């Protein structure tokens, strides 16, 4: 059931209804549904690949960049991975039902705080079709219904995957409305979804800054914003310089297209002359373009650098570019980060404990590091088992969001005629 | 510093700056500031009472209802209570800095999840001037800056209180911008505040449904909505009828103007003939108006009742009115609640354990009760030490919000040259 056959309002109502059924399912029932979905994805692999080939072909005709085409491409091993990952979600611990607190109130009543599903999730995402399966599995695992809206570039792939998911739900006798997909590419429907607060409890955007901004602006439903990281490393006067080069290279180069990759390097003036040429030499091996201030350029004679211009330090590069500045100490480093960071991931390289402590306390980011790469901000790295998104706002969940971020709690008061 | 001397944007910037100082204060420093504020409120008691007398007089001239006038009235004991309550906040445990988790990652890095302030709170409230002091104290305790915007009915009282608060902050050497007040009654400024997401991290509306709706509609900042309770009691076939009458009376009558007071009574048809006349007799003593369906009226011959009309079961009465219906069992009761509840507080009166369990699981409200009054949904009753608001949304905090709801966390990764 999609938006060609049902209005968005009817989808919302059906999702809310389904969420009640889902909330009452046992972990076993939910896991059985996940396995049924994995089986159905395998059974539909041919159809999914066929649909994806059309998406890719149309993308090529429309002149999509090759990096984007690669992100939307599915191959037989990638489809198999979708099925395998769905089975892995079944293996995770079910957070729903956990008692977060149980105590006796002053009047003898028992008070319990119990973890429950959130209800209905609205997920709006771009290009990658794997998000369709990923979010479906994580929603189902946590007893939430979900209404999905993927990018138009992968509409056919997503619909083929949704068909498999629906078949899995049916096989497991879970209501189809548990996972629904908005198949109408009209962008106005996104605006409508963002205002369906009578049915939808939480909006998760997964995409670029524009999508997050639109959700923040238009949604009447709580939105988890995040995923945009202008990330900094500050190499202090006492940094171990050899390790610093390794960390800076790792943070910038290992996977430059992601949100926890390094964007700006700040170097203490006392080590700039030593460190900057080493960094430039190492990063040149990966073809990193350096955008440097005059103070940094002074130590980079002979290297191919560009002058940093207005806005460069407010840029999430998402590629092989690095902004560099020299600062006169920890105060200036923290001030720069407070002015330019998106409060995602920032790191200090230092052997001075007092500076590490100040950095940890005063840099108000979702993740702050001492002598480590910013690339660790990730649900898998943090051992959360799954990653729903990376939040850079401060309510509900901050940083990498695991399964628990898809739950809420209710208070349960057990009395025996108690009155106030 | 208020909106007469600074633009709202400048207030936001100053609040953000102050929040950095606040976040670094020790518990002792924050408590010293709270005591200084309490002292200043006592010292300014005369000025506060004088300002309040003008507000009350103007309210009377404008024809405000007497219940509202009472809510905005300050007396010498009420001002003293504001000072005392501020000192009590100092006595509470400081949640900031608590380590929520500490573990060693697979690669040997130490990963810590530490509780931190949220940053800057925007609080929009109506009539009661005590909220000014209350929110100032709770924000300061949790290391948050706050921008307050109270109702125009209490502008003079609020400004007198803010003056005392500012004096306390100054005495304790805490930046004045920690607690700021929007003194311009132009409602457009509320809209502006709701879109200052570059400075403000969380909006807390405290007021009626209209205010909550406006915040939800217009805010680009996460909003904690709540405080609106259409609360139900379902008296099941096996309810202890004497206790049921006590609980229903307590939930409806003890403080009818608040959000956790009873709005709708659902009675199982098997006990309707017994229970309803008892309830009607008891509630008549307090002058409660009954809005009843035909099925309920059939058992209420001789009592003064009104027929329930369209919309009565979607009404938060906030006064001495009660909607009553008769249902044929737990399924119908749960269905009625799912259709009409604002997911605040709902209770079942039953001796049937299976029904209690179903009610707890299937009624998706912030607080669900068995054999108890709905009136317990309260930060004080739940032992939270303080109450910031009662949330009926599902993200971040649900039900009564204590000090912890004014905090978030950050992830801290301690490495030794770690790369991914």
């Amino acid at each position: 059931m999609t938006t060609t056959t049902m209005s968005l309002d009817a989808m919302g109502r059906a999702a809310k209804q389904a969420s009640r059924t889902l909330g009452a399912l046992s972990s076993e029932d939910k896991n059985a549904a996940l396995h049924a979905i994995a089986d159905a994805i395998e059974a539909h692999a041919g159809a999914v690949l066929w649909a994806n080939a059309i998406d890719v072909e149309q993308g090529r005709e429309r002149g999509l960049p090759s990096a984007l085409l690669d992100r939307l491409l599915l191959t037989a091993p990638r489809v198999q991975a979708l099925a395998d990952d769905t089975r892995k979600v079944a293996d995770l611990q079910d957070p729903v039902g956990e008692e977060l607190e149980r105590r006796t109130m002053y009047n003898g009543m028992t008070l319990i705080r119990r973890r429950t599903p959130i209800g209905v999730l609205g997920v709006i995402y771009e290009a990658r079709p794997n998000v369709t399966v990923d979010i479906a599995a994580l929603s189902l695992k946590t007893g939430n219904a979900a209404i999905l809206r993927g990018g138009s570039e992968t509409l056919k792939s997503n619909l083929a995957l949704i068909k498999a998911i629906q078949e899995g739900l049916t096989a497991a006798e879970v209501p189809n409305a548990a996972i629904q997909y908005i198949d109408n590419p009209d962008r106005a429907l996104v605006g409508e979804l963002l205002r369906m607060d009578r049915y939808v409890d939480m909006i998760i955007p997964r995409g670029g800054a524009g999508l997050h901004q639109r959700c923040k602006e238009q949604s009447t439903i709580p939105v988890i914003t995040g995923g945009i990281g202008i990330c900094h490393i500050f190499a202090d006067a006492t940094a171990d310089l050899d390790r610093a080069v390794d960390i800076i290279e790792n943070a910038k180069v290992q996977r430059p297209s992601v949100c926890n990759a390094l964007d700006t390097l700040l170097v203490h003036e006392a080590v700039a002359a030593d460190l900057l040429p080493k960094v430039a030499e190492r990063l040149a091996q990966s073809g990193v373009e350096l955008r440097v201030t005059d103070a940094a350029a002074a130590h980079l004679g002979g290297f191919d650098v560009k002058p940093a211009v207005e806005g460069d330090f407010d840029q999430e590069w998402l590629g092989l570019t690095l902004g560099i500045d020299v600062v006169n100490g920890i105060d200036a480093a923290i001030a720069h980060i407070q002015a330019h960071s998106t409060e995602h991931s920032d790191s200090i390289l230092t052997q001075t404990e007092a500076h590490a402590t100040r950095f940890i306390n005063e840099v108000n980011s979702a993740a702050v590091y001492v002598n480590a790469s910013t690339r660790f901000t990730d649900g898998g790295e943090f051992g959360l088992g799954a990653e729903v998104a990376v939040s850079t706002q401060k309510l509900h969940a901050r940083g990498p969001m695991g399964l628990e971020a898809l739950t809420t709690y209710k208070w349960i008061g057990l009395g025996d005629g108690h009155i106030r």
Side-chain angles (χ1 to χ4, degrees), chain A:
Chain A
M1 285 187 288
T2 61
T3 28
T4 52
T5 53
M6 280 175 104
S7 78
L8 196 56
D9 189 83
M11 283 176 75
R13 203 174 322 121
K16 178 110 183 166
Q17 193 58 42
S19 76
R20 292 181 178 135
T21 307
L22 289 168
L25 292 182
S26 67
S27 299
E28 291 67 31
D29 288 342
K30 292 186 286 186
N31 292 342
L34 288 167
H35 280 278
I37 288 172
D39 294 346
I41 290 171
E42 287 172 350
H44 284 252
V48 168
L49 288 170
W50 180 257
N52 184 251
I54 299 173
D55 280 335
V56 171
E57 185 51 36
Q58 289 182 341
R60 202 168 277 133
E61 280 166 13
R62 285 169 50 203
L64 294 186
S66 64
L68 184 58
L69 286 173
D70 180 64
R71 284 177 74 207
L72 64 86
L73 177 71
L74 290 175
T75 60
R78 285 186 185 182
V79 173
Q80 186 58 50
L82 293 178
D84 293 344
D85 287 347
T86 302
R87 292 192 183 98
K88 274 184 207 151
V89 172
D91 292 339
L92 295 174
Q93 174 93 27
D94 183 355
V96 171
E98 184 193 349
E99 280 191 9
L100 301 168
E101 276 179 76
R102 174 185 282 258
R103 55 194 158 82
T104 303
M105 283 167 61
Y106 69 96
N107 60 1
M109 275 175 68
T110 299
L111 186 67
I112 301 165
R113 195 158 64 91
R114 182 191 290 173
R115 201 185 279 286
T116 66
I118 285 180
V120 179
L121 315 178
V123 186
I124 304 164
Y125 53 104
E126 292 167 353
R128 293 183 303 165
N130 59 314
V131 175
T132 306
V133 178
D134 196 27
I135 288 289
L138 296 171
S139 300
L140 195 54
K141 178 77 187 186
T142 46
N144 292 293
I147 297 176
L148 312 184
R149 210 283 191 179
S152 56
E153 304 84 357
T154 52
L155 180 60
K156 290 190 179 58
S157 315
N158 286 337
L159 290 180
L161 288 166
I162 285 289
K163 198 173 170 198
I165 290 166
Q166 295 280 345
E167 193 176 299
L169 291 172
T170 302
E173 294 176 28
V174 171
N176 275 25
I179 307 292
Q180 298 178 84
Y181 189 88
I182 300 177
D183 64 0
N184 185 334
D186 183 355
R187 289 192 69 199
L189 289 180
V190 172
E192 227 179 284
L193 175 63
L194 292 175
R195 300 179 65 80
M196 292 218 307
D197 51 70
R198 63 205 173 283
Y199 302 126
V200 181
D201 298 291
M202 180 188 203
I203 294 286
I204 307 175
R206 285 181 57 163
L211 175 63
H212 284 265
Q213 190 58 30
R214 184 173 181 204
C215 290
K216 241 173 32 173
E217 294 277 335
Q218 297 183 7
S219 181
T220 60
I221 303 162
V223 179
I224 296 290
T225 50
I228 314 299
I230 298 177
C231 301
H232 300 76
I233 287 180
F234 168 50
D236 196 8
T238 58
D240 177 322
L241 298 191
D242 291 335
R243 285 180 172 174
V245 175
D246 291 340
I247 290 173
I248 292 160
E249 179 190 33
N250 178 261
K252 182 68 253 177
V253 171
Q254 192 231 359
R255 203 171 163 203
S257 65
V258 295
C259 57
N260 58 20
L262 180 63
D263 295 288
T264 300
L265 172 65
L266 303 171
V267 178
H268 192 290
E269 59 185 9
V271 290
D274 256 11
L275 181 61
L276 282 176
K278 288 182 186 168
V279 167
E281 202 181 323
R282 181 75 68 85
L283 294 184
Q285 296 170 11
S286 306
V288 176
E289 177 184 311
L290 305 182
R291 302 275 185 102
V292 308
T293 59
D294 291 347
H299 303 291
L300 289 167
F303 289 96
D304 182 19
V305 299
K306 289 193 176 172
V309 298
E310 175 79 28
D312 274 1
F313 293 112
D314 296 303
Q315 185 77 37
E316 185 186 27
W317 297 111
L318 298 170
L320 288 171
T321 305
L322 179 67
I324 303 184
D325 196 5
V326 172
V327 293
N328 66 6
I330 177 120
D331 287 306
I334 290 173
H336 179 107
I337 294 171
Q338 286 180 341
H340 299 282
S341 167
T342 54
E343 304 190 337
H344 188 296
S345 300
D346 298 293
S347 181
I348 183 172
L349 313 181
T350 189
Q351 305 301 321
T352 309
E353 209 178 309
H355 288 184
T357 301
R358 279 198 55 196
F359 192 89
I360 289 170
N361 290 341
E362 296 176 34
V363 172
N364 190 15
S365 297
V368 286
Y369 296 93
V370 177
N371 297 324
S373 170
T374 55
R375 287 276 295 114
F376 288 106
T377 308
D378 174 272
E381 293 291 315
F382 280 9
L384 303 184
E387 181 174 287
V388 176
V390 176
S391 159
T392 54
Q393 47 102 60
K394 289 161 193 147
L395 267 59
H396 189 66
R398 200 168 183 208
M401 293 164 60
L403 283 180
E404 290 181 1
L406 295 184
T407 67
T408 181
Y409 54 81
K410 64 165 71 163
W411 298 89
I412 301 165
L414 305 179
D416 186 23
H418 285 81
I419 61 173
R420 184 169 166 189

